[in-house]
């Protein structure tokens, strides 16, 4: 595998995934909404492209020639933003656009960053349904994320994998090179993961897939399966 297309390449997860791919010598098509705002993504192995993950034509164009596509897009960056503008169908629309656009471009592998809110506690309760674990006011975003995951499950499409971080996904935490993939039927694991270690898991699963058409939790801790560098 040599080429990765990353939607949301200017965001926290997207930047970490792009950096991890470049570190391995891959070429990245870095997709942002406005390339003029993302000069920091420039690199000799990066093609900076304008695109929208909810638009099938945009996905087709950005994915053409790639070996895998990453969806690291979020329409909601923090609570201060509020939900007045949140499209509750955002993640359903992105699942649909990725399915259609990737098929048109002939790309099979799709890696999606999930949200811990739809993991389950040891009691089998969805995290988003427990106000002690998840602020009720952020539930609309969690619901939208979950609908996008359900859409992937319900429709025939690419060889997808949703990688869901724990509650504490920390931008400034170091790259340890260690992570574990847990079956989603296991309860939510407390703990911390750096964006850099999440990125290792994403690029590993792009280069040498081990899980297909399912969702896993990614947690830190054990020796990495195949971290390089
Ligand atoms: N603990 C957890 O479970 C946890 C924690 C954090 C994040 N997450 C999930 O991880 C994923 C990535 O989050 P993040 O922290 O990296 O978010 P982020 O830093 O807010 O970045 C999100 C990016 O999405 C881009 N974007 C928004 N709408 C778009 C569209 N229609 N088409 C293309 N790009 C678009 C924005 O691009 P522009 O630069 O073009 O504006 C932005 O750079 C999300 O699904 C988020 O929910 C999970």
């Amino acid at each position: 595998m040599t080429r990765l297309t990353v939607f949301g390449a200017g965001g926290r997860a997207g930047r970490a995934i792009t950096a991890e791919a470049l570190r391995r010598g891959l070429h990245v098509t870095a997709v942002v909404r406005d390339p003029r705002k993302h000069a920091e993504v420039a690199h000799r192995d990066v093609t900076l492209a304008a695109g929208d993950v909810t638009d099938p034509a945009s996905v087709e164009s950005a994915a053409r020639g790639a070996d895998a596509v990453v969806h690291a897009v979020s329409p909601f960056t923090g609570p201060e933003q509020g939900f007045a503008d949140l499209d509750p169908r955002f993640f359903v629309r992105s699942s649909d656009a990725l399915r259609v656009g990737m098929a048109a471009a002939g790309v099979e592998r799709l890696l999606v960053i999930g949200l811990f809110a739809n993991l389950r506690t040891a009691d089998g309760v969805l995290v988003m349904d427990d106000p002690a674990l998840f602020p009720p006011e952020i539930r609309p975003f969690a619901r939208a994320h979950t609908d996008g995951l359900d859409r992937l499950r319900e429709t025939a499409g690419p060889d997808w994998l949703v990688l869901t971080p724990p509650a504490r996904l920390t931008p400034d935490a170091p790259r340890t090179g260690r992570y574990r993939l847990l079956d989603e039927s296991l309860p939510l694991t407390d703990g911390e993961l750096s964006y850099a270690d999440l990125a290792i898991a994403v690029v590993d699963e792009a280069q040498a897939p081990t899980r297909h058409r399912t969702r896993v939790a990614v947690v830190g801790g054990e020796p990495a399966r195949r971290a390089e560098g």
Side-chain angles (χ1 to χ4, degrees):
M1 189 196 115
T2 57
R3 298 180 77 88
L4 200 59
T5 291
V6 180
F7 281 88
R12 290 167 292 197
R15 286 196 303 272
I17 293 161
T18 299
E20 181 62 30
L22 294 175
R23 167 181 200 130
R24 300 185 193 195
L26 306 182
H27 182 277
V28 175
T29 298
V31 189
V32 299
R33 285 176 295 180
D34 182 355
R36 289 170 304 182
K37 294 184 183 164
H38 289 287
E40 82 287 353
V41 178
H43 183 281
R44 69 172 191 280
D45 291 327
V46 169
T47 302
L48 187 57
D52 179 344
V53 75
T54 63
D55 173 16
S58 190
V59 172
E60 178 184 351
S61 159
R64 199 165 285 287
D67 299 293
V69 170
V70 175
H71 173 1
V73 166
S74 178
F76 173 72
T77 294
E80 66 286 351
Q81 185 182 334
F83 292 102
D85 296 331
L86 177 71
D87 172 4
R89 291 182 56 77
F90 181 89
F91 289 99
V92 168
R93 294 199 296 119
S94 60
S95 294
D96 286 347
L98 286 160
R99 183 182 70 248
V100 172
M102 288 175 64
V107 183
E108 271 292 307
R109 186 66 166 162
L110 170 64
L111 294 315
V112 180
I113 310 302
L115 182 70
F116 78 102
N118 51 33
L119 294 172
R120 289 184 186 276
T121 68
D123 299 329
V125 175
L126 280 177
V127 169
M128 74 173 99
D129 291 341
D130 182 341
L133 294 175
F134 194 78
E137 61 272 20
I138 303 178
R139 229 173 157 279
F141 179 64
R143 199 58 259 165
H145 239 294
T146 307
D147 289 348
L149 172 60
D150 290 346
R151 189 66 147 213
L152 288 173
R153 291 191 204 281
E154 289 159 5
T155 48
D159 176 17
W160 60 270
L161 176 67
V162 174
L163 298 105
T164 302
R168 281 187 294 146
L169 178 63
T170 315
D172 299 328
R175 180 185 191 275
T176 69
R178 294 191 295 277
Y179 72 86
R180 288 173 294 154
L181 301 185
L182 302 182
D183 190 284
E184 66 171 329
S185 63
L186 293 171
L188 169 79
T189 307
D190 194 20
E192 190 173 15
L193 186 73
S194 65
Y195 275 91
D197 288 333
L198 173 64
I200 294 174
V202 170
V203 182
D204 279 353
E205 283 294 326
Q207 288 191 295
T210 66
R211 315 290 171 103
H212 304 275
R213 294 188 60 80
T214 189
R215 188 269 288 274
V216 290
V218 188
V219 299
E222 298 293 315
R225 177 157 57 85
R226 195 186 51 254
E228 296 174 358

